[in-house]
Amino acid sequence: MFSGPSVLWPGTFAILGLSEATWGSEVSTPEIFKDLNPEQLKAVKTTEGPLLVVAGAGSGKTRVLTYRIAYLVGVCGIPPEQIIAVTFTNKAAREMQERVVDLLGPDSKGTWVSTFHSTCVRILRREINHLGRSRGFVIYDEADSLGTLKESLKLHGLDPKGHDARRLRWRIDQWKNAGELPHQAAESATDLEAEQSAEVYASYQRLLLDANALDFGDLLLLTAMLFRNHPEVLGHYQDRWAYVLIDEYQDTNRVQYELVNALTSKHRNLCVVGDPDQSVYAWRGADIRNILDFERDYADANVVVLDRNYRSTQAILSGAGAVVANNVDRPEKEMKAERGQGEQIHFYRAENERDEAAHVIGNIISMSRENDRVLSDFAIFYRTNAQSRPLEEELLKYDVPYVVVGGTRFYDRAEVKDVLAYLRLLVNPADSMALRRIINKPPRGIGKTTILRAEAIAQRDEISLLEALRLYSDQENRTGKNVRTFFQLLESMSESVHDVGPEEALGLVLDKTGYIRHLERANTPESEMRIENLRELVAGAGDFEFTNLEEGIERPVLELFLDQVALVTDLDNVDGLTERVSLMSAHSAKGLEFPVVHLVGMEEGLFPHAASSRDHEAIEEERRLCYVGMTRAMEHLTLTWAEERRRFGGREIAIPSRFLSEVPDHLHDGPSPEDSFRGPAAAYGGERSLDYEYGQLEPDAGASAGVRVRHAIFGEGVILKSIGSGPKQKLRIRFDRAGVKTVVTKFANLEFF
DNA sequence: GTGACTCACTTTTTT
DNA sequence: AGTGAGTCAC
């Protein structure tokens, strides 16, 4: 926990502008830096040239970053606006900003602390015209972007349904993460499928351009393009930011690497902070090589290793360390605990997910009564967001206040997206995804047929969907009338919406469209909740307006609001001050810490997740994720697993996670994971057996989703679902060659491996 | 064009 | 178990 004084040293600003030389060395270093250990101090004071800080879990990484900024400004006299610090979440950015202000006072605000994505948005809002595009672009979220991709699939005469679209969307994202434009993707394509995908990528980009929209990947990719093709623009930012700090460097992907490189290639004052053991975003294109190769890429780099852990007890740290030590592809590193041994890690074997929830919540309730514990001391982590439900039910049962971080974003709720889509359309009439979304919400008699026809016209005449639709208003039939009414509605809003803030604009939309009245008519608990959410949205817009009034307004507040909505996540709204138990995925937990942590669902197929058990690298990432989860705990850590779990509506037999058996016995109490192994499933316990040993699959034994099996006729496949139990147990299996089949376990003679 | 119904699929993790 | 897409009758 950060514990710096709120005022650093008297007369901070008296020393502004003084160089370190003026202050001499160690002796005259301001008092506050005595809080740092020698390595941390070195990381803070090595201000010139490239610096890699390998900061293990709990080693005071954020403290180093904030003190470094304080040092640069307060001691070296660097103007705050020449410093940029980039983080991964808005929350981390805000936290860092606050701490810097604590250290240096409000005048340090000129330092730019923000995420890669927000930084890119701000740059693009100023400079995107250099790429021949308009500054008024909108940011498409996942759903909009998937919708757009489906449109482009249609253009290619391909089936836009389900799986393929998602896979392709993912593929395009990977290209963007790698910094590749469509033509580069096409060049590197080695097979027909890749070629075709690259073509779809090209037309997808075309559609985005038509809608004047950027997806998440574009924010980074287009900024990289800007820097590639416009040295004068790059030069401006290189000079502006003479000192660059990057947090969570192990999670950067290739475009981000390129951006960082470009920005720092002139002054070379680059400080990156990261921990290879906490790299958990490879699936999103993060390239662990960025940190592993740092010393090669920057031959003159200084390296500081922070290996003292101030957060966790020895037991927790050793347990987590023992788990991650099983990774082969990992530089040798061991953390030293500064705190005492502490209590053992606790293991709990639950009958099912409800028993698991009851145990965890019971534990929290009884612990909250002792030792001055407050509810915000407690956190529950899981691998997948869907696991929050039984926990929430249990918390509700006992009236324990809690907050679920992540999962469905507030701004992803249908009603919220609808109303925001009206604003988006008003701000950017080219936004066809927004138009599609709201054209008939609430119902106004403009249905599928009309939209389909308008789409065809839009495509043929190369006009926007809105323009195409406008052609219908001349028709003297019912459709024509409905369309006219719709355009009148838009016009009645468009004039005033530009002159008012987001709060009023939302009110206007709700009023004119009759959206709330439509919900009220439904009069169900569901619709009431939606109305409640919309009120929350309006209130949130009011807050946004309020906090953004004093900032220098470069663009209409309404547009800033829409940017923020696109980039903000629930995680950004966690504040440790509220009296609540926190529930979140292990990914969301990164960067946080809690005195008491429960890590639930430690089962094969869940954690490590089934989707990751295919290859070795993915398993290692799961293991790092487990390490991240465990090392969030300061004093108390409980790992739980269930022997049986409801998943996809059916009951499934679960096998304890291999990570459990990687925690040395003497470091934990409670049952051993081996205790509950059923039959030959024991052979499936460790990674060794996963790769090399085989067993015969019998009913109820190890038949959980995600387990790979081999069938004499159908070949290899992966279990999707187990139905029933005992001799009648059946398995739904997706075979690599033969497709999805249902087999009776007893007769199928399956080998698993 | 709307609403009720069926069915398939979902679950990784997030800016 | 719950959602979203697709189908069908009005």
Side-chain angles (χ1 to χ4, degrees):
Chain A
M1 195 74 65
F2 182 82
S3 59
S6 59
V7 176
L8 236 202
W9 56 82
T12 296
F13 295 99
I15 64 161
L16 259 176
L18 295 185
S19 71
E20 193 184 350
T22 318
W23 278 85
S25 55
E26 290 295 315
V27 191
S28 53
T29 300
E31 196 59 25
I32 187 64
F33 295 107
K34 300 281 181 344
D35 290 356
L36 303 171
N37 71 34
E39 293 80 35
Q40 291 174 331
L41 193 63
K42 186 181 176 209
V44 164
K45 295 175 89 171
T46 309
T47 59
E48 307 303 305
L51 171 71
L52 166 64
V53 181
V54 180
S59 63
K61 163 193 82 153
T62 308
R63 166 178 282 214
V64 164
L65 282 169
T66 50
Y67 277 56
R68 185 178 165 91
I69 295 173
Y71 188 84
L72 282 167
V73 176
V75 177
C76 306
I78 308 295
E81 55 278 4
Q82 282 190 16
I83 304 168
I84 182 172
V86 184
T87 62
F88 268 78
T89 64
N90 296 297
K91 177 179 187 281
R94 201 173 49 219
E95 221 174 79
M96 196 179 300
Q97 181 76 268
E98 280 167 14
R99 289 182 186 185
V100 172
V101 172
D102 278 351
L103 288 173
L104 283 174
D107 290 351
S108 63
K109 272 205 169 158
T111 298
W112 190 330
V113 187
S114 85
T115 65
F116 269 107
H117 292 265
S118 331
T119 304
C120 289
V121 171
R122 287 177 73 171
I123 293 175
L124 289 174
R125 287 288 181 206
R126 286 175 153 276
E127 319 282 359
I128 200 169
N129 54 315
H130 288 108
L131 297 173
R133 299 190 54 155
S134 142
R135 291 194 178 105
F137 61 84
V138 287
I139 303 165
Y140 268 7
D141 66 12
E142 196 63 37
D144 296 326
S145 124
L146 192 63
T148 308
L149 182 69
K150 286 181 178 171
E151 288 306 307
S152 43
L153 280 172
K154 279 191 214 158
L155 294 180
H156 286 262
L158 296 168
D159 184 8
K161 275 201 287 284
H163 252 47
D164 290 344
R166 288 216 169 161
R167 234 185 37 223
L168 197 50
R169 170 76 199 95
W170 179 83
R171 187 162 196 167
I172 291 174
D173 214 44
Q174 296 292 341
W175 273 321
K176 292 189 175 181
N177 286 333
E180 289 186 34
L181 295 165
H183 72 270
Q184 294 164 314
E187 280 162 22
S188 62
T190 50
D191 56 77
L192 193 65
E193 201 208 336
E195 264 171 47
Q196 202 174 34
S197 303
E199 278 170 30
V200 179
Y201 178 16
S203 56
Y204 168 76
Q205 288 305 93
R206 178 73 219 173
L207 286 183
L208 285 179
L209 181 65
D210 290 344
N212 197 14
L214 272 61
D215 68 13
F216 283 127
D218 282 342
L219 298 176
L220 305 174
L221 183 60
L222 293 194
T223 310
M225 270 177 69
L226 181 73
F227 288 167
R228 278 179 211 167
N229 301 335
H230 299 273
E232 75 287 358
V233 178
L234 174 61
H236 168 77
Y237 289 97
Q238 283 175 331
D239 285 330
R240 165 160 187 185
W241 292 314
Y243 293 86
V244 178
L245 292 78
I246 311 289
D247 191 15
E248 307 278 15
Y249 190 68
Q250 77 281 355
D251 289 330
T252 51
N253 58 38
R254 285 323 269 193
V255 218
Q256 287 165 332
Y257 179 83
E258 183 185 339
L259 288 169
V260 170
N261 252 331
L263 274 178
T264 57
S265 61
K266 186 167 173 194
H267 293 284
R268 292 177 60 83
N269 299 319
L270 167 65
C271 169
V272 303
V273 181
D275 178 5
D277 282 337
Q278 294 186 63
S279 158
V280 292
Y281 285 107
W283 55 273
R284 199 172 84 183
D287 200 331
I288 198 167
R289 282 177 309 167
N290 288 356
I291 191 165
L292 295 178
D293 294 349
F294 187 87
E295 289 176 77
R296 193 204 61 202
D297 295 342
Y298 296 85
D300 54 334
N302 278 294
V303 179
V304 175
V305 178
L306 306 179
D307 59 0
R308 295 197 218 175
N309 175 298
Y310 297 94
R311 178 189 295 151
S312 309
T313 61
Q314 180 72 62
I316 292 170
L317 196 62
S318 305
V323 171
V324 80
N326 287 285
N327 277 355
V328 179
D329 188 10
R330 165 178 189 262
E332 204 56 42
K333 166 163 135 275
E334 196 163 350
M335 297 295 294
K336 301 185 199 79
E338 293 288 318
R339 303 185 59 173
Q341 181 64 23
E343 55 190 80
Q344 284 180 300
I345 297 170
H346 308 284
F347 275 18
Y348 181 76
R349 180 179 72 233
E351 281 171 42
N352 50 44
E353 75 283 348
R354 303 194 55 174
D355 177 37
E356 180 180 59
H359 173 77
V360 171
I361 308 309
N363 221 352
I364 289 175
I365 291 174
S366 65
M367 286 182 79
S368 68
R369 299 203 178 107
E370 54 192 54
N371 306 340
D372 306 321
R373 289 244 184 267
V374 290
L375 287 179
S376 53
D377 288 348
F378 299 93
I380 308 173
F381 303 153
Y382 33 75
R383 177 65 236 271
T384 65
N385 286 307
Q387 287 167 258
S388 72
R389 179 149 297 175
L391 296 160
E392 288 186 70
E393 282 167 10
E394 196 70 13
L395 287 158
L396 285 169
K397 192 160 128 194
Y398 294 100
D399 275 330
V400 182
Y402 67 92
V403 55
V404 181
V405 177
T408 320
R409 289 165 69 235
F410 176 74
Y411 294 111
D412 280 343
R413 305 223 163 108
E415 62 278 14
V416 174
K417 288 190 74 166
D418 287 348
V419 177
L420 289 171
Y422 274 102
L423 291 186
R424 280 168 43 186
L425 184 65
L426 291 170
V427 167
N428 172 22
D431 190 341
S432 56
M433 287 317 285
L435 174 59
R436 251 179 269 261
R437 175 165 263 280
I438 53 93
I439 193 160
N440 207 25
K441 273 175 206 159
R444 55 174 65 91
I446 306 177
K448 285 170 226 164
T449 322
T450 311
I451 299 172
L452 228 54
R453 287 185 188 147
E455 271 172 5
I457 294 173
Q459 202 194 317
R460 191 194 61 204
D461 297 354
E462 298 190 333
I463 54 178
S464 77
L465 187 57
L466 193 71
E467 289 310 316
L469 190 67
R470 199 191 290 276
L471 301 176
Y472 278 80
S473 54
D474 296 335
Q475 289 187 8
E476 281 310 321
N477 53 21
R478 187 187 243 133
T479 307
K481 186 165 166 286
N482 292 338
V483 170
R484 274 197 298 282
T485 316
F486 176 65
F487 274 97
Q488 278 160 17
L489 172 71
L490 286 187
E491 274 153 33
S492 74
M493 295 189 292
S494 74
E495 283 165 31
S496 26
V497 102
H498 289 288
D499 308 326
V500 299
E503 184 177 16
E504 231 178 297
L506 282 170
L508 192 77
V509 168
L510 289 174
D511 180 45
K512 295 262 184 190
T513 60
Y515 198 97
I516 289 203
R517 287 191 290 283
H518 177 250
L519 284 174
E520 277 168 350
R521 243 171 282 136
N523 195 27
T524 59
E526 169 90 6
S527 65
E528 266 176 49
M529 203 174 76
R530 293 183 187 281
I531 294 171
E532 200 44 53
N533 286 335
L534 289 173
R535 297 203 193 292
E536 203 179 320
L537 175 67
V538 175
D543 286 349
F544 180 84
E545 222 167 300
F546 183 74
T547 50
N548 280 272
L549 268 183
E550 81 266 27
E551 314 270 326
I553 296 177
E554 5 178 327
R555 303 177 49 243
V557 182
L558 177 59
E559 294 177 26
L560 286 177
F561 176 68
L562 290 175
D563 276 0
Q564 134 117 359
V565 161
L567 295 175
V568 83
T569 64
D570 274 5
L571 180 63
D572 304 325
N573 299 321
V574 197
D575 55 66
L577 303 173
T578 45
E579 257 306 282
R580 290 160 185 279
V581 176
S582 301
L583 277 65
M584 67 189 84
S585 71
H587 281 91
S588 297
K590 195 148 74 74
L592 306 178
E593 62 182 9
F594 295 89
V596 182
V597 167
H598 288 83
L599 188 49
V600 304
M602 298 300 297
E603 296 140 37
E604 287 295 309
L606 198 51
F607 203 174
H609 197 273
S612 300
S613 35
R614 278 166 283 112
D615 62 286
H616 188 75
E617 282 176 21
I619 286 287
E620 296 216 336
E621 177 149 312
E622 294 281 321
R623 191 175 276 114
R624 290 191 294 270
L625 184 60
C626 181
Y627 173 76
V628 166
M630 293 175 77
T631 51
R632 302 305 97 193
M634 299 161 78
E635 292 154 24
H636 176 113
L637 173 63
T638 299
L639 306 180
T640 69
W641 68 98
E643 301 207 295
E644 183 185 281
R645 183 175 294 272
R646 276 185 179 281
R647 242 181 131 192
F648 305 126
R651 266 197 305 280
E652 283 170 22
I653 304 297
I655 301 167
S657 169
R658 69 191 70 180
F659 302 149
L660 289 165
S661 25
E662 292 170 4
V663 176
D665 283 340
H666 71 277
L667 289 176
H668 73 84
D669 62 17
S672 274
E674 289 79 11
D675 291 351
S676 60
F677 275 8
R678 300 158 191 242
Y684 182 57
E687 199 172 340
R688 292 144 248 111
S689 49
L690 175 79
D691 291 335
Y692 304 115
E693 288 175 31
Y694 299 83
Q696 197 91 121
L697 196 62
E698 284 169 25
D700 296 346
S704 67
V707 174
R708 278 193 74 81
V709 294
R710 178 178 298 136
H711 186 277
I713 296 160
F714 300 137
E716 289 184 19
V718 59
I719 298 180
L720 297 175
K721 180 176 184 173
S722 124
I723 305 144
S725 64
K728 282 191 191 160
Q729 186 192 37
K730 292 180 201 155
L731 297 172
R732 259 174 93 71
I733 300 172
R734 187 198 304 275
F735 291 101
D736 299 343
R737 323 267 282 260
V740 177
K741 306 261 184 229
T742 305
V743 301
V744 179
T745 318
K746 191 157 176 271
F747 303 119
N749 260 337
L750 296 167
E751 277 182 327
F752 69 93
F753 54 96

